Amino acid sequence: MSKRRRSRKSKSKQRFKKQILTLVAMVMVALYAWVGGEWSLDIPSPFGGSNRSVDHTITFPAERYPETANHIKTAIKAGHSDVCTIDRSGAESNRDLSLKGVPVKKGKDRDEWPMAMCAEGGAGADIQYISPKDNRGAGSWVGNQLSTYPDGTRVKFVVK
């Protein structure tokens, strides 16, 4: 085999190796962005929670409203969104859909997650019976936190 032919093959192999390394690096960067970084597309994460962009993050006070906090944690763990897209005009309809077929219990409130005021709420929401004091206090707290945000604002809930 001539020296020239070997040189071409060698250069070809080197170019192929560089292309493979570049491809591997690009895949690794994409995986990092998907798992650990911010991903600009609405692709569900297999690692729980939401990976979609949010406008604000609020920390829900579990010590003040333990029943509601437990319900939120349980619902998110079961696959419901930890992000609320504010949709006040859809709240009444969402509440009707989420509570349909869930009977009223004396001395308890039917708490829903995602909340009715969230675009993610409505049919299929997780419903739990909790004390009216905890539920209404939590609702008032959330309402105050979100009062200045317009509809369409995406708010991530973190329970601590």
Side-chain angles (χ1 to χ4, degrees), residues 24-92:
V24 168
M26 289 171 61
V27 168
M28 289 176 66
V29 168
L31 284 173
Y32 172 77
W34 187 48
V35 174
E38 189 73 12
W39 197 260
S40 62
L41 302 175
D42 286 344
I43 298 172
S45 172
F47 304 104
S50 171
N51 65 341
R52 297 173 5 185
S53 64
V54 296
D55 300 308
H56 301 282
T57 299
I58 63 171
T59 302
F60 186 85
E63 72 285 347
R64 285 176 63 183
Y65 309 106
E67 292 178 71
T68 303
N70 184 51
H71 181 210
I72 294 170
K73 282 189 212 176
T74 303
I76 291 170
K77 196 178 272 188
H80 290 278
S81 181
D82 60 349
V83 173
C84 169
T85 305
I86 300 173
D87 177 23
R88 292 177 183 91
S89 62
E92 189 176 330

Side-chain angles (χ1 to χ4, degrees), residues 8-25:
R8 281 187 199 162
K9 278 189 174 184
S10 178
K11 285 181 183 178
S12 180
K13 282 182 182 180
Q14 286 176 348
R15 199 174 7 206
F16 180 73
K17 284 180 183 178
K18 283 182 182 179
Q19 289 173 338
I20 292 296
L21 287 173
T22 301
L23 178 63
V24 168

Side-chain angles (χ1 to χ4, degrees), residues 65-122:
Y65 309 106
E67 292 178 71
T68 303
N70 184 51
H71 181 210
I72 294 170
K73 282 189 212 176
T74 303
I76 291 170
K77 196 178 272 188
H80 290 278
S81 181
D82 60 349
V83 173
C84 169
T85 305
I86 300 173
D87 177 23
R88 292 177 183 91
S89 62
E92 189 176 330
S93 172
N94 280 348
R95 186 169 289 107
D96 290 343
L97 290 170
S98 65
L99 298 178
K100 185 177 181 179
V102 180
V104 175
K105 282 190 179 178
K106 188 175 181 176
K108 294 289 183 180
D109 276 2
R110 297 170 293 174
D111 185 41
E112 54 203 293
W113 188 266
M115 299 174 291
M117 70 169 291
C118 304
E120 296 80 7

